[in-house]
Structures are given as C-alpha cells and as structure tokens.
Amino acid sequence: MTTLTALDERLDSEETAVVLAAVWDVFGLTVELCDRIAFDEGVDEFQALLAGQKADAGRDLLPLPELGEPVTAPSAPGTTGLEPYVRMLTHAGESLERLLATADSVGEGAERVLSEAVELARGAAVALTRVRSGDVK
C-alpha cells in the first residue's frame, strides 16, 4: 500500500485522532514535496513556496499525532505528478470539515483552529495546482 493510499484511508476514519494525525501527515508531506520541487525547472517557485507555507501553518495548528508512524513523501513526482497531492489536500480539508460538522461539543477555540486548518488545506491545494509556470487558474 502506498503512502498516499494509506493516508487517504486514514482521512476517512471515524476516529478523530486518526483523522487529525492523517491531516497532520498530509500537511507534512506537502511541505516536504514543496521543498523538493520549489526550484525545479518549469516550476513557479512562489506557488510552491506558498503551498508549503500554508501546509506548514496548517500542521502547526494541529496536535502532534499520538499514533502511527512518521510518513515521508515518495520520490519527488515532478510537476506532472502533483495531482495526487492536490487531491490529498482537498480530502484533508473535507475530513476536517466532517469533524467540524459531526463533533457534538467542539469548543470555540477548537472550532476556530479546525476552520483555519480547512482554509489552509484549500489554499495549499490551490497553490499546488498553480506550480507549473504559467498555469494560473
């Protein structure tokens, strides 16, 4: 099972701790990926750095995972292989939204943090879609 497939499954978990750990890992993989590709030929380094910064900020909002093992990004996919990472960021944001919608008693502080993490996941996904030079949507 690939790292991305395993994360995808964890993002659909019913357990809050599993989902939060998976989102934390998605953000971490995105930071690692953006660091690897930022200065590759044909890459808009600003968008790559922006995606990495948003992912890093999202990861900083979440608690350290209490379970699982650290994950590392597969070898750098180049600019043509970024779509799985964009989908993973989108899925991470959707999973956080699901946590917000289904939590019985999310405190005001936790609600704010999760909402901010959703926006950062969305922003990182958008920036990652624009990484190829001239690919502005």
Side-chain angles (χ1 to χ4, degrees), residues 114-137:
L114 290 176
S115 295
E116 189 174 339
V118 167
E119 291 306 314
L120 289 165
R122 287 180 183 153
V126 168
L128 204 53
T129 64
R130 297 177 177 169
V131 161
R132 284 189 298 277
S133 294
D135 189 18
V136 179
K137 297 179 181 177

Side-chain angles (χ1 to χ4, degrees), residues 91-122:
H91 191 182
E94 291 167 351
S95 296
L96 290 171
E97 286 179 322
R98 181 174 46 88
L99 286 181
L100 275 168
T102 59
D104 292 336
S105 59
V106 173
E108 187 177 312
E111 183 177 344
R112 181 192 57 75
V113 165
L114 290 176
S115 295
E116 189 174 339
V118 167
E119 291 306 314
L120 289 165
R122 287 180 183 153

